[in-house]
Amino acid sequence: MDRYVKFSAVRILWGSCFVDQRLDASFSQQTQASPVIRGRWTAQTVRVVLYAASLGLDTMSVIGAFLLTDWLEPTYWLPAPSLTILGTIVPLFVMFSISREAQSVESFRDFYLGLQRAVSALTATFFVEITLFFLTHLGGDISRLGFLGFFLVSCAFLLASHALVNIAVKLWLGSGIVATLVLLDGASVEAESGMTVINVGKDGLWPDLGKPDLVAKLSVMSQGFDRIVVACEEAHHFAWSVFLQGSDVGGEVVIGPDKALGGVGIGRCSNRDTLIMSRGPLSLANRVQKRVFDLVVASLLLILLAPLLIIVGIAIVSDSPGPILFKQRRIGKGNRYFEILKFRSMRVEATDSDGSQSAARNDARVSRVGQIIRRTSIDELPQLLNVIRGDMSLVGPRPHPLGSLAGSQLFWDVDQHYWQRHSLRPGITGLAQIRGYRGATDNVADLENRLRCDLEYLSNWNMLLDLRIMLATFRVLVHEKAY
């Protein structure tokens, strides 16, 4: 499956589909990498368009074959109303095409593999349809010969469909189906044609895990690419591997023949082996499921909770002067910064912009309304807007303020694997929260427990787990550590 694609054709649905130009002014000209291949479109965006076109053409091929067969022999093979049967064939075919990855990077690279997967989806559709006929007698007595003719015509149309898409792939993407960024940090590697090469070591840029600004800058630099290949000095291997494992794209480190330990696979860049540290957090189908679920549920909740949100907003401005919403910069997906939204629960003059001071019981900074909305978790509801915008998910690792301390240590100083928790969008709720790991982090163990839950969630994600966490969240909306 295309584990590198960000499904980003529409900004509100998938996040920004174009190159983020908001790089810090201190970057040198050479470090402003761009994965743009055509106009303002990245390879990811072009692939999304081609995926949609390919799936659409395949579906039209099946529909066209059905209608053609029905027109040639309307009473011979299909005595039932054709739309009744077509209405079951189309959704089944689309479902099987997505699950069998008929539209993916591998399918675009190998014409015959893509065609094989499409025909496999069609075959699965036919088997399910035949089973439905047998169990429900849908369509009455259908000719097996006519049904076989429909299958063969569909295969012929699918062949033509994939031939057209193959031509489009070569015209639009050429050999650059996957946009690759090569970062040089004190070492070298010969890049292949079409790769973007940046000597970050020349500018002293490397993912110092104790400096979130450097990590964020490198994350922004790699945004829009599908694959990152790093050639670095030995001393920086660990830092780069952690950075790549926490990124939202595939990442590899160039290695020598005796260093192939600790990764998830072996890759290749020109004439050098690479150690694959990350293949990206989720497959395309899983990212689509999670994002659609987020949008549907968040939109419904905003509509249903609109009266409550208005009442809370009025109560906040009536209780203490200042804005209704509190905004704070936090670390999000791919270790890039975003601005989280919450109902303001503290007096304006006492708010903590970097979160270095956790709220305590009977905290004098918290307003009267703030005490209520914090105790009931109502202050978190504006993050539904973050979900709609694509900054957050309903379920995921909770985003922490930059100044958060575990005891007296910054979170990333406690455990450098902390950066890996950001490979997915942060969530309004998460596995750590339903297990009771909430509130202040007065000691190192408080963070370690949350980090362990976050990494467990990333390793075992599925839609059922998200549903379980959301349902369990209702039990902990009011909790003893909410103050």
Side-chain angles (χ1 to χ4, degrees):
M1 185 61 160
D2 181 8
R3 291 184 176 273
Y4 303 123
V5 170
K6 297 177 194 170
F7 209 83
S8 52
V10 182
R11 183 179 180 87
I12 190 172
L13 183 59
W14 314 117
S16 175
C17 63
F18 301 123
V19 183
D20 192 335
Q21 301 295 333
R22 297 169 294 170
L23 294 177
D24 191 279
S26 64
F27 276 160
S28 68
Q29 183 67 31
Q30 79 162 44
T31 61
Q32 297 188 21
S34 173
V36 171
I37 63 168
R38 187 173 296 273
R40 294 184 64 202
W41 285 21
T42 67
Q44 296 171 353
T45 310
V46 172
R47 284 205 308 274
V48 168
V49 172
L50 291 175
Y51 287 159
S54 177
L55 182 58
L57 283 173
D58 282 359
T59 305
M60 292 302 296
S61 296
V62 174
I63 294 174
F66 183 92
L67 296 178
L68 177 61
T69 309
D70 191 33
W71 178 70
L72 291 174
E73 294 290 350
T75 60
Y76 172 63
W77 79 288
L78 198 64
S82 58
L83 290 181
T84 301
I85 298 176
L86 190 59
T88 60
I89 288 177
V90 170
L92 283 171
F93 176 73
V94 170
M95 179 185 71
F96 283 123
S97 291
I98 294 174
S99 65
R100 293 175 185 256
E101 305 171 6
Q103 287 74 38
S104 65
V105 164
E106 293 82 3
S107 297
F108 281 179
R109 282 176 170 161
D110 187 335
F111 169 79
Y112 295 104
L113 176 63
L115 180 60
Q116 174 190 331
R117 290 177 173 179
V119 173
S120 173
L122 180 66
T123 303
T125 301
F126 270 64
F127 275 117
V128 172
E129 198 71 18
I130 290 171
T131 302
L132 287 175
F133 292 155
F134 177 78
L135 295 176
T136 65
H137 299 288
L138 179 66
D141 296 326
I142 295 179
S143 166
R144 287 171 290 180
L145 184 61
F147 214 66
L148 177 61
F150 170 34
F151 178 82
L152 295 177
V153 173
S154 296
C155 289
F157 283 8
L158 286 175
L159 175 62
S161 168
H162 280 255
L164 288 173
V165 171
N166 188 52
I167 293 172
V169 168
K170 290 180 178 179
L171 289 175
W172 275 30
L173 294 172
S175 59
I177 295 177
V178 174
T180 302
L181 173 65
V182 179
L183 300 177
L184 306 179
D185 176 23
S188 62
V189 62
E190 183 180 347
E192 299 170 8
S193 175
M195 293 182 176
T196 301
V197 181
I198 301 176
N199 189 347
V200 292
K202 181 179 178 181
D203 292 337
L205 288 176
W206 63 285
D208 187 335
L209 302 180
K211 298 178 179 178
D213 283 347
L214 279 180
V215 175
K217 286 178 180 179
L218 287 167
S219 297
V220 171
M221 181 192 303
S222 61
Q223 193 172 13
F225 287 93
D226 306 306
R227 175 189 179 214
I228 307 172
V229 177
V230 176
C232 64
E233 56 185 89
E234 184 74 22
H236 291 175
H237 268 192
F238 176 76
W240 278 111
S241 66
V242 172
F243 170 80
L244 294 174
Q245 288 167 5
S247 68
D248 50 354
V249 298
E252 305 171 27
V253 176
V254 176
I255 58 171
D258 59 337
K259 301 294 183 182
L261 298 175
V264 297
I266 300 295
R268 192 80 173 170
C269 180
S270 188
N271 60 344
R272 297 285 299 278
D273 287 331
T274 62
L275 186 60
I276 300 174
M277 306 307 303
S278 168
R279 297 188 187 276
L282 296 178
S283 67
L284 174 60
N286 287 338
R287 285 200 295 276
V288 171
Q289 287 182 50
K290 188 170 175 63
R291 185 65 181 137
V292 170
F293 178 78
D294 283 344
L295 280 175
V296 171
V297 176
S299 299
L300 289 174
L301 287 175
L302 280 173
I303 294 172
L304 293 174
L305 296 173
L308 174 63
L309 299 178
I310 294 172
I311 292 172
V312 172
I314 295 173
I316 289 173
V317 296
S318 300
D319 184 41
S320 63
I324 295 174
L325 296 179
F326 170 68
K327 302 178 182 180
Q328 187 179 62
R329 188 171 69 160
R330 298 197 179 184
I331 303 175
K333 181 182 178 184
N335 290 306
R336 292 182 287 273
Y337 293 141
F338 78 101
E339 204 168 54
I340 197 171
L341 302 176
K342 301 179 72 172
F343 277 130
R344 180 174 59 85
S345 59
M346 295 185 178
R347 291 177 285 105
V348 172
E349 67 275 11
T351 53
D352 184 9
S353 60
D354 63 0
S356 57
Q357 182 181 352
S358 297
R361 194 179 301 275
N362 301 320
D363 198 317
R365 299 174 300 164
V366 180
S367 65
R368 289 173 298 176
V369 171
Q371 291 175 1
I372 299 173
I373 62 176
R374 290 176 73 93
R375 190 174 298 118
T376 56
S377 302
I378 290 175
D379 62 323
E380 309 284 358
L381 290 179
Q383 288 162 44
L384 292 170
L385 295 174
N386 285 117
V387 174
I388 298 294
R389 287 164 47 176
D391 298 326
M392 295 181 65
S393 176
L394 292 170
V395 181
R398 281 294 295 166
H400 299 141
L402 293 176
S404 296
L405 298 174
S408 60
Q409 293 179 272
L410 291 166
F411 282 3
W412 49 81
D413 289 333
V414 173
D415 190 330
Q416 293 183 326
H417 292 286
Y418 173 80
W419 299 103
Q420 296 175 14
R421 68 191 297 275
H422 302 131
S423 60
L424 287 179
R425 286 186 178 92
I428 296 178
T429 185
L431 190 60
Q433 283 64 50
I434 66 170
R435 289 180 177 174
Y437 301 126
R438 304 181 61 172
T441 49
D442 297 324
N443 53 67
V444 169
D446 291 330
L447 172 65
E448 291 176 337
N449 289 330
R450 298 179 199 199
L451 180 58
R452 184 171 60 252
C453 291
D454 292 339
L455 297 181
E456 178 185 337
Y457 172 79
L458 297 176
S459 299
N460 300 295
W461 181 89
N462 57 66
M463 277 307 306
L464 182 59
L465 178 59
D466 271 12
L467 289 171
R468 287 171 51 199
I469 291 174
M470 286 192 65
L471 292 174
T473 297
F474 289 105
R475 295 189 289 103
V476 296
L477 287 177
V478 179
H479 61 102
E480 60 181 10
K481 296 183 180 180
Y483 42 81

